[in-house]
Amino acid sequence: MGVLGVNHIAFRTPDPRRLKRVYQELLEAEVVAGEHDPLRIGRTLLVFFESAEGGAPADPDEIAFDCDATGFAAAYERAQALGVVRKEPVEPTRWSRAFVVADPDGRRIELTYDDLGVYWQE
């Protein structure tokens, strides 16, 4: 059995509609028809379920989404407009960039760009 990637990510939140709107705008996610009213980014579905509990725990897990160069810049602009940027863009290597946002429930979401052609650069 070969694992092909992530099928879906389920978020539990007191306000599924609010959280879905943030992810839809931040990631320019595609609205798709289907059970649980999902969003699609790339090949991954995001679904949002109501929970009586609050947001993320004090030390929440982190999810990182890959972007292309144009998408990375556009997502950063949208994150600034939404007021969700928690860590400004950094360049951990000469071929990668990343920034971190916090969703309305406090989850850490990282957006990354890796120049996959770097191995051919000198």
Side-chain angles (χ1 to χ4, degrees), residues 64-68 72 96-99 110-114:
F65 294 103
D66 281 325
C67 301
D68 60 19
F72 180 86
S96 64
R97 292 179 286 191
F99 68 93
E110 182 176 351
L111 286 95
T112 65
Y113 164 69
D114 292 316

Side-chain angles (χ1 to χ4, degrees), residues 72-113:
F72 180 86
Y76 180 64
E77 287 180 21
R78 290 189 302 272
Q80 287 179 307
L82 288 166
V84 296
V85 175
R86 295 297 175 259
K87 184 177 180 183
E88 295 294 329
V90 295
E91 295 185 11
T93 67
R94 66 183 176 93
W95 57 84
S96 64
R97 292 179 286 191
F99 68 93
V100 175
V101 303
D103 78 14
D105 293 333
R107 288 178 199 87
R108 289 188 304 254
I109 306 298
E110 182 176 351
L111 286 95
T112 65
Y113 164 69

